[in-house]
Amino acid sequence: MNIEIKNKIIIISSPSGAGKTTLCKMLLKKNKNIILSISYTSRSKRLNEVDGKDYYFVSKEKFLKLKKNNYFIESCNNFNNFYGSPIKNIKKANLLNSNILFDIDWKGARKIRKKFKKTDIIDIFILPPTVKELRKRLVKRGRDTKKEIALRLSYALEEIKHYNEYDYVLINQNIHNTLKDIIDIIKYHELIEKNDKLLNKKLKKLINF
């Protein structure tokens, strides 16, 4: 399945608790030319979450039915819950002439890389300063049991092993500095693309001269 994309696919991944979702929300507020690819999930909705804004919350049966009908660009199973990015999000980004942001893990990122050109993708992996700090952040969130925190830490260590699959790796010591780095990376790619288009125009003029 090959899907056309007009602008950039921005992928931000990190182990649970490293700040990925917070960074994505901050980025969307700062850059109005980026829309979020809202995922479907079979997990329960948390108190501060809104259906259709944070995720589309569906039953496991509904999710599996959508997956069977090739509704998703990528999907995975994390902590016994399903997550998937619908193809319609790409179509929406194309319609709005916007970049699209994927808040997904390394498995989802790997699947997306197989379906789009490398030049269409900006992929960034967020690391915590230390594993100790990561555990501290997971505890501070206050939404997981000790057993769940231990499981997330174990999974995080496995996720971190895949950081070298990404073009950019940022250590999230300070959330505002990390956000600035992400914005600078996107601006850098936009500048390259703009210069490439100008160069192509000049070359066409020369060829047609």
Side-chain angles (χ1 to χ4, degrees), residues 128-181:
T130 63
V131 175
K132 184 180 178 181
E133 176 62 23
L134 182 62
R135 188 183 188 285
K136 184 180 172 183
R137 290 178 186 179
L138 286 171
V139 171
K140 192 177 178 181
R141 291 197 307 189
R143 66 186 189 209
D144 299 309
T145 64
K146 286 183 179 179
K147 187 178 178 181
E148 287 169 335
I149 288 170
L151 182 63
R152 286 185 182 277
L153 275 174
S154 174
Y155 187 73
L157 293 174
E158 285 301 310
E159 279 193 289
I160 288 169
K161 291 178 183 178
H162 297 274
Y163 76 90
N164 59 355
E165 296 179 19
Y166 292 72
D167 284 337
Y168 299 94
V169 180
L170 302 175
I171 297 173
N172 187 21
Q173 185 80 49
N174 177 284
I175 197 85
H176 297 288
N177 290 341
T178 306
L179 176 65
K180 184 181 181 302
D181 288 341

Side-chain angles (χ1 to χ4, degrees), residues 6-7 17 20 29 38 60 62-63 93 98 106 110 131 207-208:
K6 283 184 181 179
N7 293 293
K20 167 172 58 75
K29 285 182 180 178
I38 302 171
K60 285 187 177 181
K62 172 74 171 177
F63 188 98
S98 298
W106 67 269
R110 187 179 278 183
V131 175
I207 291 165
N208 295 326

Side-chain angles (χ1 to χ4, degrees), residues 25 34 48 60 71 73 75 80 85 88 95 108 123-124 126 150 165 193 195 203 209:
K25 287 179 179 178
I34 300 173
N48 62 333
K60 285 187 177 181
Y71 190 75
I73 303 166
S75 63
N80 294 318
S85 304
K88 68 178 183 180
L95 191 65
D123 54 355
I124 303 166
I126 308 296
E165 296 179 19
E193 189 148 308
N195 287 338
L203 286 171
F209 181 72

